[in-house]
Amino acid sequence: MAAGKKKWIIISVVAVLVVGGIGVGSYLGQTKKGIGIQGAAGLSTLKNAGFDPAKSGKKVYTIKTDTKVNCSSTPWVIAEKKGFFAEEGINVEYTGELTTAQVLPSILNGTNNVSSAHVNNIATYIAGGAKIKGVTIGGSEPTPDVDDKYHHMKFYVSPKQGVSSLEELIKKKNGEKITINGTVPSCTTFIATNAFDHLGFDRDQIKFVAFESDTAALQANQQGNIDIVGVHPPFYKLAKDSGLIEIFDTADTGLGEAAGTTFYYFTDQFIKDNPEAVQGFVNAIKKAQDWIVNPAHEEEAIKLTGDYIGQPVNAVHYYYTGKGFQDKLIQPWIDDLVVSGALKKDQLHINDLITTQFDPS
C-alpha cells in the first residue's frame, strides 16, 4: 500500500471515530484512560514466571496489544496466568492503556497488532476503509440456562424516576426523548434499540449520550442526568447495591447469543505476514475462553480479573466456546447497521468482516 493511501485510511478512520461517535468504551467498561500507562494495576504481575513461550518447543512470536485495564481483560489474564499463550509460543507485549478512540489507529499503524470489538464496530471500521479482519469470536450472550449475571448488559433506572418498568418510564416521558448512555454504533446502542423493538416500543424515542465508562454513566444516572443506564457484568452488583431498578437486559432483545458477539481482529497485512502467530493466538485465546466459562473456575476468573484491573469485580463477561463463525451470531449486527442507516443494504457481508483461516467451522 502506498504511504499516502495508508495515511489517508488512518486519518479517515480517526475522523469517523470522532465525528460518528464509534467506540467500544461502553463494551469495555474502562476504568482508566491514557496513553502508555505501564504501571497500571496488576500489569507487573500479569506475566506468570512459571510459563515461558521459549519452552513450548514452538517458534516464539511476539504480538503487541494495549494493556486493557478493564472488564475485557479476563481472557488475556487467564491466557497468561494459565500458560495458554506460552503453550502456543505466543509472547504478548502489553504496550500501555489507550482510550477507546486510540485503539483502532494503534492497530492500523502497527503500534499494536490485535484487539477486540463488537461486530458493528468492526463493520463500520471496514466500511470506513480499515483493512482488518476478525479471526475468531470472543464474547457472546449466554444461553438461557446460564445465570443471568453473565448477560452481556443490563439496563437500570434510578428509583428517583418513580417507575419500575420500561413501559412506565415511556408513559411518564409522554413523548420526550429517553436518554441512555451509549455511542453509535456500540453494543449498548445495539442492545438498547433491539430491546425497544422486541418489547414493542419505538427505538426513535431513544437519545444516546456518550460516556467513556460504565462507572461514569452510573454516576450520571444517579445524578438524574440520564434516564436509563446500561452496564456490563462487573457493575451489576454495584447497580443493585446502589438501589437502581433493572428494567430490561440482553435477554429482552430476542437476539439470543448474538447479543454479545465480539471479534478479535488483526490487520490484513499482519495476517498475511504472520499466519503462524495468528493461529497460535487463536488457539490460546480459545483455550482461555473455554476455561473461563467452566463453572468450576468462576471464582478464580473473577479474582484474577479483579487483581489485574485493581478494582472489585463481581462477574466477568461470557465467552464463545464453539467453532468457527455462526451466521446467527453476526448477521443481526450487520442488519441493525442497515436499519440505522450506518450501512447500505448489501454494502457488507459476513465474509467481508472475517477470515475462517484460523478458526474453521
Side-chain angles (χ1 to χ4, degrees):
M1 179 185 295
K5 185 175 182 182
K6 182 175 182 181
K7 183 178 180 182
W8 178 86
I9 288 176
I10 294 172
I11 291 173
S12 67
V13 173
V14 173
V16 172
L17 281 162
V18 175
V19 176
I22 299 168
V24 292
S26 55
Y27 157 62
L28 295 177
Q30 290 179 312
T31 59
K32 298 181 182 179
K33 59 182 180 179
I35 300 175
I37 302 176
Q38 295 296 342
L43 181 57
S44 62
T45 58
L46 178 57
K47 296 286 189 178
N48 190 322
F51 298 110
D52 182 357
K55 297 179 180 179
S56 66
K58 300 179 180 180
K59 183 176 179 180
V60 175
Y61 293 94
T62 294
I63 293 177
K64 297 181 293 183
T65 193
D66 59 289
T67 304
K68 308 178 197 307
V69 186
N70 52 57
C71 67
S72 75
S73 66
T74 306
W76 305 85
V77 173
I78 299 307
E80 292 285 7
K81 292 296 187 182
K82 298 301 173 182
F84 299 135
F85 281 142
E87 288 174 4
E88 295 293 335
I90 301 300
N91 172 52
V92 180
E93 178 184 333
Y94 298 93
T95 59
E97 194 172 0
L98 300 177
T99 62
T100 299
Q102 293 166 334
V103 175
L104 177 63
S106 80
I107 300 293
L108 296 179
N109 66 28
T111 300
N112 291 309
N113 306 129
V114 63
S115 192
S116 61
H118 282 290
V119 178
N120 53 1
N121 298 112
I122 299 289
T124 313
Y125 298 161
I126 291 174
K131 303 299 183 183
I132 58 175
K133 288 288 188 299
V135 296
T136 192
I137 291 178
S140 70
E141 176 76 357
T143 52
D145 57 302
V146 176
D147 194 313
D148 72 356
K149 69 182 178 183
Y150 290 107
H151 286 186
H152 187 74
M153 291 196 76
K154 291 181 179 290
F155 292 76
Y156 300 85
V157 295
S158 167
K160 297 175 184 176
Q161 289 276 9
V163 301
S164 59
S165 69
L166 179 57
E167 182 178 12
E168 290 178 4
L169 177 62
I170 290 172
K171 288 181 179 178
K172 178 182 176 180
K173 297 294 286 187
N174 193 28
E176 292 182 22
K177 291 283 188 179
I178 294 172
T179 52
I180 305 177
N181 60 303
T183 53
V184 181
S186 66
C187 60
T188 308
T189 58
F190 173 69
I191 292 166
T193 53
N194 276 275
F196 267 61
D197 292 346
H198 190 64
L199 295 171
F201 303 113
D202 186 351
R203 65 165 58 189
D204 290 337
Q205 297 173 93
I206 303 173
K207 178 182 178 181
F208 288 109
V209 182
F211 293 89
E212 183 62 25
S213 68
D214 285 2
T215 50
L218 278 165
Q219 184 177 15
N221 179 256
Q222 291 172 326
Q223 294 172 344
N225 295 328
I226 55 174
D227 298 312
I228 298 174
V229 58
V231 298
H232 295 83
F235 305 103
Y236 292 167
K237 187 174 186 298
L238 175 60
K240 184 176 181 180
D241 290 348
S242 299
L244 301 186
I245 299 166
E246 181 187 335
I247 58 172
F248 65 90
D249 78 354
T250 38
D252 297 308
T253 62
L255 295 166
E257 294 171 85
T261 310
T262 65
F263 294 156
Y264 296 95
Y265 68 95
F266 292 80
T267 64
D268 294 351
Q269 191 64 51
F270 189 92
I271 291 170
K272 179 181 178 181
D273 294 342
N274 306 279
E276 296 87 358
V278 177
Q279 187 65 71
F281 171 83
V282 169
N283 294 346
I285 211 73
K286 288 182 71 67
K287 289 178 186 177
Q289 291 180 176
D290 287 344
W291 190 95
I292 292 164
V293 301
N294 184 332
H297 302 149
E298 176 183 347
E299 293 304 319
E300 188 175 359
I302 290 171
K303 182 182 185 304
L304 290 172
T305 302
D307 289 347
Y308 173 60
I309 69 174
Q311 72 172 37
V313 172
N314 306 302
V316 298
H317 279 296
Y318 197 78
Y319 292 94
Y320 182 64
T321 58
K323 293 182 178 179
F325 296 85
Q326 294 187 43
D327 288 4
K328 69 177 184 179
L329 303 184
I330 304 168
Q331 191 62 49
W333 295 79
I334 300 174
D335 293 343
D336 190 70
L337 289 171
V338 174
V339 171
S340 69
L343 290 180
K344 296 178 181 178
K345 183 175 175 58
D346 294 326
Q347 181 178 348
L348 288 177
H349 300 91
I350 292 175
N351 287 339
D352 297 317
L353 311 185
I354 64 170
T355 173
T356 59
Q357 176 181 351
F358 308 101
D359 188 8
S361 298

